[in-house]
């Protein structure tokens, strides 16, 4: 019978080793060590043994077997609990390393940065910001700005026409100056306004020319405004935008919608002169087109290219580089 007891213990331990689920191990504990289990049965059979020595020897074997099986149950249950906990932890794990592998953030394009900085500087000088439509009528883009049909200055603006209304009546604006007229019509003076935006010219592109580019227009209308105010504003802007080491100059030029007209250049700390844009005093014809009385109001306007400013500021060799969408180029700024 002692051999039977030991064999039963071996079988119990072997079964426990095969169990893979915690609940099954707990059920097996009841089956093996409970009142109806094999070792309980061995105990009941002790009474039927012939001698006291036999009872003692078999009893001891049953106790040892019970203890061995109980220890095996305990070890297996603990092992399976650990395994189940590990599975649960894995399932509920929050992967904090995600924060580190987040895709890198982009940033504003070099031209957008220049646009935003220009706005900041002019707002700092007391200007407000307005925008106008990119698809414009011939009247706003040309006629109201002193360029009637057949005016020779129109040939300087190679125009994209839009197939809308009377042929030739709708254009993609060739400059931001039409927004001057829209602002004068809508805003009561005094006006201190800048008007940034996209413009279009049917031109062959090269290192300094694009067919789609950006300008920023400025318009000041108040009482008693003179050319000295224009020169002072351009000088303050130059220092605020480029730095104290820079200065500006006005050079006589011609635009149909300003009189007198000038190009304005900036002088770099190295002494080079860069042409930035055009400017001048707003003539009575243009003030009237905007619905203002030239006897009461006077003013000046200026306009320059944002893309060329970004190009100069960052020493980009070719303005077309900024629109190749090459991430290696864009990332540098
Ligand atoms: C004008 O467009 C005038 N409307 C500016 C103006 C406004 C004068 C108000 C007086 C009063 P212009 O054609 O020169 O002028 O263009 C102004 C600026 O736009 C240029 O100095 C240049 O910086 C930029 N620009 C002109 N053409 C291109 C082009 N194809 N590609 C990139 N930038 C250009």
């Amino acid at each position: 019978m002692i051999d039977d007891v030991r064999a039963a213990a071996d079988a119990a331990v072997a079964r426990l080793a095969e169990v893979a689920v915690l609940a099954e191990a707990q059920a097996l504990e009841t089956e093996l060590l409970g009142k109806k289990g094999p070792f309980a049965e061995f105990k009941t059979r002790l009474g039927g043994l012939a001698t006291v020595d036999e009872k003692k020897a078999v009893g001891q074997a049953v106790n040892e077997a019970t203890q061995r099986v109980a220890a095996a149950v305990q070890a297996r249950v603990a092992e399976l609990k650990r395994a189940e906990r590990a599975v649960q932890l894995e399932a509920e794990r929050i992967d904090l390393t995600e924060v580190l592998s987040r895709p890198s953030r982009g940033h504003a394009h070099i031209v957008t940065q220049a646009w935003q900085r220009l706005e900041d500087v002019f707002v700092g000088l007391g200007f407000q910001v307005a925008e106008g439509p990119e698809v414009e009528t011939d009247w706003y883009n040309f006629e109201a700005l002193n360029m009637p049909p057949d005016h020779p200055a129109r040939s300087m603006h190679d125009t994209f026409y839009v197939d809308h209304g009377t042929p030739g009546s709708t254009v993609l604006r060739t400059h931001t100056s039409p927004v001057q007229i829209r602002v004068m019509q809508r805003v009561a003076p005094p006006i201190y306004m800048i008007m940034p935006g996209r413009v279009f010219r049917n031109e062959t592109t090269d290192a300094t020319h694009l067919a789609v580019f950006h300008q920023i227009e400025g318009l000041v209308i108040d009482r008693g405004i003179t050319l000295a105010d224009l020169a002072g504003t351009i000088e303050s802007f130059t220092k605020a935008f480029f730095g104290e080491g820079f200065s500006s100059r006005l050079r006589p030029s011609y635009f149909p919608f300003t009189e007198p007209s000038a190009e304005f250049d900036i002088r770099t700390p190295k002494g080079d002169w860069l042409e930035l844009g055009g400017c001048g005093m707003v003539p009575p014809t243009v003030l009237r087109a905007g619905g203002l009385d030239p006897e009461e109001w006077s003013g000046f306007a200026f306009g320059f290219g944002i893309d060329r400013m970004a190009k100069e500021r960052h020493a980009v060799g070719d303005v077309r580089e900024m629109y190749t969408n090459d991430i290696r180029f864009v990332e540098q700024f």
Side-chain angles (χ1 to χ4, degrees), residues 3 8 20 22-23 25 40 44 64 69 84 90 108 121-122 130 152 154 166 186 198 271 301 305:
D3 289 342
L22 178 62
T44 58
E64 277 169 14
V69 170
E84 287 199 1
E90 182 59 30
V121 168
F122 276 111
R154 284 200 180 205
T166 319
R186 240 178 268 166
R198 189 156 40 179

Side-chain angles (χ1 to χ4, degrees), residues 156-157 174-177 180 201 203 208-211 213-215 217-218 255 257-258 262-263 275-280 301-308 319:
M156 282 154 53
H157 294 229
T174 57
H175 52 171
T176 43
S177 299
Q180 283 184 38
R201 287 192 198 172
E203 307 198 1
T208 53
H209 291 83
L210 294 161
F213 58 102
H214 302 83
Q215 289 187 338
E217 194 80 10
F255 296 99
F257 37 91
T258 44
E263 298 278 351
E275 184 189 310
L276 269 199
C279 60
F302 56 83
F304 44 83
I306 300 178
D307 314 73
R308 280 201 200 158
V319 77

Side-chain angles (χ1 to χ4, degrees), residues 137-159 161 168 171 173-178 180-181 201 215 217 254-258 283 285-286 289:
T137 63
D138 180 272
W139 190 81
Y140 278 104
N141 197 78
F142 293 119
E143 276 199 57
L145 293 164
N146 250 348
M147 287 184 276
D150 303 329
H151 191 286
R154 284 200 180 205
S155 62
M156 282 154 53
H157 294 229
D158 299 296
T159 311
Y161 287 92
V171 303
R173 66 179 176 191
T174 57
H175 52 171
T176 43
S177 299
Q180 283 184 38
I181 306 293
R201 287 192 198 172
Q215 289 187 338
E217 194 80 10
Y254 170 75
F255 296 99
F257 37 91
T258 44
T285 40
V286 174

Side-chain angles (χ1 to χ4, degrees), residues 78 204 211:
T204 309

